[in-house]
Amino acid sequence: MEAETKIIEENPVDLKIGSNYLGKKHHPAIGIRIPEIFLTGIVNSLQKHKCAAGLMLSFGRETAPDEIINAPPGRYEITLGHTGTSIRKYLVAGSRAARSAAIPVEMEADHLIITESSAIAVKRIEGIKTPKLIGNAALEKAIKYNVQAVEEAVSTGLVRAYTTDASDLFDEDVTKFKMTALRKRLNEYFTEEEREYISKNLVGKHRLRGADNKVVRLEINKERAIKLALKYRHSVNINARLFEEISSRMKHPFAWEISLDETEKPTPPADLFIFLGLWKMKGLPCDYVAPNVGFQKREDFTGDMEMFRNRVRALNAVADLYGSMLSFHSGSGATPYSGKGQGVYETILEATGGKLKYKISGVYYELLIELLAGHKKGTDARILYELIHKEVMDFLRKQIETKGPLHSELLKKQISTYDQAKQEFDPRAECFRYNSFLALNFRDQKGRRYYRERLIRLYLDDLKLKKQVDQEVEALTSRLIEGLKFANNY
């Protein structure tokens, strides 16, 4: 059969200052890990470019409910809520800053992750994947935690967007099954009506329309459709469960985004077609979808640009068909100054027709660390940087020695490279750059996050440093806005 092409248009939403539901809008989404330091520069850039943006933190890693943020040291994993910024705090701070600047923003609950632990979620960032599926007990625990986090977000009255991540529920094993076993499982997990839907709507030759108005062809035979339906059915079901939990609590319209990004390889267009087809079968909305487009976290994209363009063009056509816009995750590059690498922004704009969502977060903290490292020896900024660097490296070495939660062969190799290359106090050394965020959650016996507090105090007290940080944060935000043409989007 041929799929009917449906090209979406951005929702005409009347925006007010402060927190809004933006609708399907071409915009950036920005992580505000330390609102006290980063909001000034970010908001200045948004105001200057007349850019409506999302302000967010990851619920599975970066932020957490007040109860967890304020708990005694050691009760929870160091990676959970590792910014030391609670859900309530970042939502209130972001919305308040937007109102003061008279700009619209969308306060987002980013990455409601269904996984066994925050340490596993953090390891994903370095490309360390967990091959086994999450068990039922861990699944229910993860859902319970996310509902707790959502309730705190909803209680502020400010949250207007959610991104879920149930990538750990993808069942890769079924793709190895033969047709007899596939049919048996299909009959077990899908009703007769659902099986008929899959056969009529997802199997066949599909002609989709690309952003350039040219045809994108997609062919999915019955065996492949069944394999992919079985691969994604559990993730789709849990996403639907989360949607119902959230919609029952929300009193305002909200954006819904599903992430498929946390995989080892890029998402094939056929996979996205089947996933969104199953989601449509549920009759639920999806404003944005984030497939894996081939980006590595914290690295510039250096792959074949033509292949990348064609991949994004096809994925965008699939998203369009189902009434969604593409969202690009892992948007930070190798440095705060590289974007995502030469030519990437231009290619994305071309392949999507200039309609997309793009997320960055950790790069702002990396920028702050680099600025501190750039100060002269003996200055307050440099002293604080060296203390952070040393304690982070000491912590990582201990993780390797004791086989702690962050232990991995990759981390072991990175530390070895660090030592052999004599990278002491290098802010761009991989083992430090990938893990420097941990310093924000280092705590003393009284529970004080001493480095987080010292960073804020130094920023506020050293007016010259504050000016430098504000200007650099604004410049970083402006490079993103200008590079992806987000200016004047309201």
Side-chain angles (χ1 to χ4, degrees):
M1 65 163 287
E2 292 190 1
E4 179 185 352
T5 300
K6 176 186 177 184
I7 302 297
I8 63 168
E9 298 294 337
E10 294 184 25
N11 293 6
V13 177
D14 291 328
L15 300 181
K16 62 182 186 303
I17 64 172
S19 186
N20 296 257
Y21 162 55
L22 296 182
K24 295 186 184 77
K25 180 173 290 294
H26 178 63
H27 74 281
I30 298 167
I32 51 173
R33 294 190 174 199
I34 316 177
E36 298 93 331
I37 296 177
F38 299 134
L39 270 175
T40 297
I42 290 170
V43 166
N44 284 348
S45 180
L46 297 178
Q47 186 182 50
K48 181 182 294 184
H49 290 88
K50 200 179 178 185
C51 176
L55 299 179
M56 63 182 189
L57 283 181
S58 164
F59 276 34
R61 298 183 296 253
E62 297 168 344
T63 188
D66 283 331
E67 175 188 332
I68 292 172
I69 296 295
N70 297 327
R75 179 172 294 180
Y76 297 97
E77 295 173 288
I78 192 172
T79 48
L80 183 59
H82 59 68
T83 64
T85 303
S86 75
I87 290 170
R88 189 182 313 279
K89 185 171 186 176
Y90 93 84
L91 289 171
V92 171
S95 180
R96 184 177 293 158
R99 289 197 305 272
S100 295
I103 60 172
V105 294
E106 184 174 75
M107 299 308 302
E108 179 175 347
D110 184 37
H111 269 74
L112 279 69
I113 303 176
I114 302 298
T115 191
E116 288 194 2
S117 71
S118 63
I120 288 175
V122 165
K123 282 183 175 181
R124 285 172 167 190
I125 297 175
E126 296 193 49
I128 303 167
K129 309 298 181 183
T130 305
K132 67 175 183 177
L133 287 170
I134 183 172
N136 287 333
L139 173 63
E140 291 303 319
K141 182 181 178 183
I143 291 172
K144 183 179 179 181
Y145 169 76
N146 278 293
V147 169
Q148 177 192 357
V150 166
E151 287 178 341
E152 179 159 311
V154 171
S155 72
T156 68
L158 300 170
V159 64
R160 296 290 188 275
Y162 295 88
T163 294
T164 63
D165 174 8
S167 302
D168 278 2
L169 301 181
F170 297 168
D171 189 353
E172 299 285 354
D173 287 342
V174 296
T175 60
K176 304 169 188 174
F177 290 177
K178 300 297 183 183
M179 198 60 181
T180 302
L182 290 171
R183 287 184 186 279
K184 182 179 178 182
R185 285 179 176 252
L186 187 72
N187 292 336
E188 181 182 352
Y189 293 127
F190 292 90
T191 66
E192 183 178 350
E193 184 180 0
E194 290 170 337
R195 295 196 299 272
E196 185 177 353
Y197 173 90
I198 291 169
S199 180
K200 284 187 175 181
N201 295 281
L202 305 184
V203 176
K205 295 180 180 180
H206 310 285
R207 287 167 57 88
L208 287 67
R209 188 68 59 185
D212 54 5
N213 220 26
K214 294 179 181 178
V215 172
V216 173
R217 290 181 173 82
L218 196 61
E219 184 172 355
I220 305 174
N221 63 32
K222 192 166 188 177
E223 181 177 355
R224 190 178 186 191
I226 294 173
K227 283 183 177 180
L228 294 177
L230 290 170
K231 174 182 176 179
Y232 292 117
R233 58 104 194 164
H234 195 22
S235 179
V236 168
N237 289 339
I238 295 304
N239 269 290
R241 183 173 165 185
L242 286 172
F243 181 87
E244 296 300 337
E245 291 279 7
I246 290 167
S247 61
S248 69
R249 290 165 169 80
M250 286 292 291
K251 296 179 181 178
H252 304 278
F254 61 91
W256 186 256
E257 177 175 335
I258 299 175
S259 172
L260 285 71
D261 175 63
E262 302 290 351
T263 54
E264 289 188 46
K265 297 178 181 178
T267 307
D271 286 50
L272 185 63
F273 185 88
I274 296 294
F275 188 101
L276 289 178
L278 296 178
W279 187 254
K280 182 179 180 181
M281 188 170 72
K282 296 281 185 185
L284 299 175
C286 181
D287 297 275
Y288 302 94
V289 64
N292 183 331
V293 297
F295 284 172
Q296 297 295 319
K297 297 182 188 295
R298 299 197 183 107
E299 297 297 335
D300 291 351
F301 179 78
T302 56
D304 183 278
M305 197 61 73
E306 188 61 29
M307 188 180 298
F308 174 67
R309 178 185 289 106
N310 291 334
R311 179 188 302 139
V312 174
R313 178 175 171 272
L315 291 169
N316 186 73
V318 173
D320 259 352
L321 175 70
Y322 287 106
S324 302
M325 286 178 69
L326 282 191
S327 179
F328 292 79
H329 293 193
S330 309
S332 300
T335 80
Y337 306 96
S338 63
K340 196 63 183 177
Q342 189 172 1
V344 171
Y345 288 168
E346 294 85 351
T347 301
I348 288 173
L349 285 169
E350 179 185 340
T352 61
K355 293 182 179 180
L356 63 122
K357 181 178 179 180
Y358 194 95
K359 292 187 171 185
I360 61 172
S361 181
V363 67
Y364 286 98
Y365 180 66
E366 289 183 27
L367 173 64
L368 175 64
I369 291 296
E370 285 206 10
L371 293 177
L372 298 180
H375 282 245
K376 291 181 180 179
K377 287 266 189 183
T379 60
D380 290 343
R382 178 69 190 195
I383 289 170
L384 181 53
Y385 166 72
E386 289 185 3
L387 287 170
I388 289 172
H389 191 110
K390 184 179 185 307
E391 190 162 345
V392 167
M393 290 305 301
D394 288 346
F395 179 86
L396 296 176
R397 292 181 195 281
K398 190 170 182 180
Q399 288 290 298
I400 296 300
E401 291 169 10
T402 62
K403 294 190 182 299
L406 296 182
H407 173 275
S408 71
E409 289 304 312
L410 177 59
L411 177 59
K412 196 173 180 180
K413 182 179 178 182
Q414 288 174 341
I415 291 175
S416 177
T417 299
Y418 175 90
D419 291 337
Q420 290 175 11
K422 297 181 179 179
Q423 292 180 298
E424 186 179 18
F425 295 128
D426 181 357
R428 294 188 181 179
E430 280 193 354
C431 55
F432 174 73
R433 184 165 68 93
Y434 278 35
N435 296 283
S436 60
F437 67 86
L438 293 168
L440 295 177
N441 216 9
F442 287 162
R443 302 170 74 183
D444 61 23
Q445 291 183 341
K446 293 182 179 179
R448 292 185 301 112
R449 292 173 171 83
Y450 45 90
Y451 284 131
R452 188 185 191 281
E453 290 182 10
R454 285 187 64 174
L455 285 167
I456 295 170
R457 196 181 314 123
L458 180 64
Y459 167 79
L460 294 175
D461 291 346
D462 187 333
L463 297 183
K464 187 175 180 181
L465 174 66
K466 183 181 186 304
K467 182 178 179 181
Q468 180 192 25
V469 171
D470 290 348
Q471 289 176 341
E472 289 282 358
V473 168
E474 181 179 335
L476 169 57
T477 310
S478 294
R479 287 193 292 273
L480 175 69
I481 293 171
E482 293 164 7
L484 285 169
K485 301 187 185 305
F486 288 130
N488 303 304
N489 65 351
Y490 70 94

